[in-house]
Amino acid sequence: CHAVMVLILSFLEPKDVVKATSDLRRGWGRYQIDDLLLHARLTPTDSRPLFRVIDEKVWRKCFGDAALNAQGLSFRAHPSLQSLNALRERVRSLNELAAVPIENDAKFTLLTIPDGGLTLDQLIQLAATPQAGHLAAAFDYINPSVATQYGNVPVEGGMVAISNGVVQGSRNRPVADQRALVERHGCQMPRLMDAVTLCVLTYMNSSATATGPVRLLNDTPWTYTRCSEQVTIFGGSYHLVVGGFAPAGLSVRSSNLGYESGGVCALRK
C-alpha cells in the first residue's frame, strides 16, 4: 500500500529512491509524487535534513479547517506520478539545492501555498487567531504603500523550495547583483508572499514544539530578504523586503539600496 511504500522510501537516500522505483513502473500512477518526495530522505552529506516541510497538515494544525474555509483557501490533490523520469527529475532538482550556500547553513523549506488566492491581508488575519497551542504571529511594521498595493493581491498556490536564510554573499549588494547571484544557483528571488508565509508559518508551527518558536530572517543579526515585487512610492519604484523578525513581530518594508542587513533568499519552484 501507499503508506508502506512511503515508510520504505523514508529510509533511502534520494539516489536510492530513484533506483528503487525502477522495478515499480507497473501501477506507479497510484502513488503521489509529493508524498514520496516529502517523506524520502532528501538530505545533504551531513545528517541534518535538507528540508523542513510546511504542508497542508501544518496549515490545518495552525489555523484549523473552519478558518481556512472561511478565507476560501484549499489544497489541491497532489499530482500522481506519470513516469519514473518525473520522480528522477524532481529528486535531482531538489537535491541540487544542497549546494546553495545559505548563511548559518539554514537550508530550505518545502513550502505549500494554498489555492484560493491567498493574500497578505488574509495571512495577517489568520496569523492573529491561531489554533489553541500555537502562538500568534505579529507584524511589527508594514509599509503603508505595500499594504495598499499588495494587501489584497492574491498569489498562485503550489509548492516551492525556499531557503530559511539569505544566500551567502548577498548582503549589502544592489538588486541586480542579488538577482544574478540566486540565478547562478538555478533559483530566483522570492515573492512577497513566499517570504512572509515562510516566516509566519515557521514561527507558528514551531511555537507548539518543546524547543519553542523559531524566527527566521530575524534581528540577530538584522536580516531581510529582497523580494521580486516592487512598490510605487511618490513616483519611484522600490523592491519589497521582508524580515527583521524581532520579538515585536515581522516587518515588510521597501528598499533598492544595498545594505548590511539586506540579502536575498533563494527560491526554486
Side-chain angles (χ1 to χ4, degrees), residues 140-257:
D140 183 40
Y141 177 79
I142 299 178
N143 183 293
S145 295
V146 175
T148 299
Q149 296 175 39
Y150 287 96
N152 288 310
V153 177
V155 294
E156 180 183 6
M159 187 178 74
V160 298
I162 180 172
S163 62
N164 297 316
V166 297
V167 178
Q168 291 181 14
S170 66
R171 292 179 184 266
N172 199 23
R173 299 178 67 172
V175 177
D177 288 356
Q178 291 176 333
R179 181 183 293 109
L181 178 62
V182 295
E183 288 178 351
R184 283 201 297 272
H185 293 290
C187 298
Q188 60 193 67
M189 299 169 67
R191 301 172 300 181
L192 166 68
M193 290 303 296
D194 296 322
V196 172
T197 303
L198 171 69
C199 292
V200 168
L201 268 292
T202 298
Y203 178 84
M204 297 182 70
N205 188 43
S206 61
S207 71
T209 66
T211 55
V214 174
R215 289 183 284 113
L216 300 179
L217 305 179
N218 56 49
D219 57 339
T220 54
W222 288 99
T223 303
Y224 293 82
T225 179
R226 193 94 63 183
C227 298
S228 59
E229 299 96 332
Q230 298 182 65
V231 62
T232 301
I233 303 176
F234 299 120
S237 294
Y238 301 87
H239 275 268
L240 308 187
V241 295
V242 172
F245 201 165
L250 183 67
S251 292
V252 182
R253 302 175 181 272
S254 63
S255 176
N256 284 342
L257 301 176

Side-chain angles (χ1 to χ4, degrees), residues 102-123:
I102 307 302
E103 283 190 0
N104 301 315
D105 196 26
K107 304 191 188 305
F108 282 76
T109 288
L110 287 175
L111 175 67
T112 295
I113 302 289
D115 296 308
L118 179 68
T119 68
L120 179 60
D121 287 348
Q122 285 179 319
L123 187 56

Side-chain angles (χ1 to χ4, degrees), residues 34 37-38 53-55 76 78 90 94 109-113 157-161 268-269:
D34 287 337
L37 290 170
L38 295 183
V53 177
I54 293 177
D55 58 6
R76 73 185 73 176
H78 292 280
R90 189 68 174 275
L94 292 177
T109 288
L110 287 175
L111 175 67
T112 295
I113 302 289
M159 187 178 74
V160 298
R268 181 175 292 183
K269 294 183 176 180

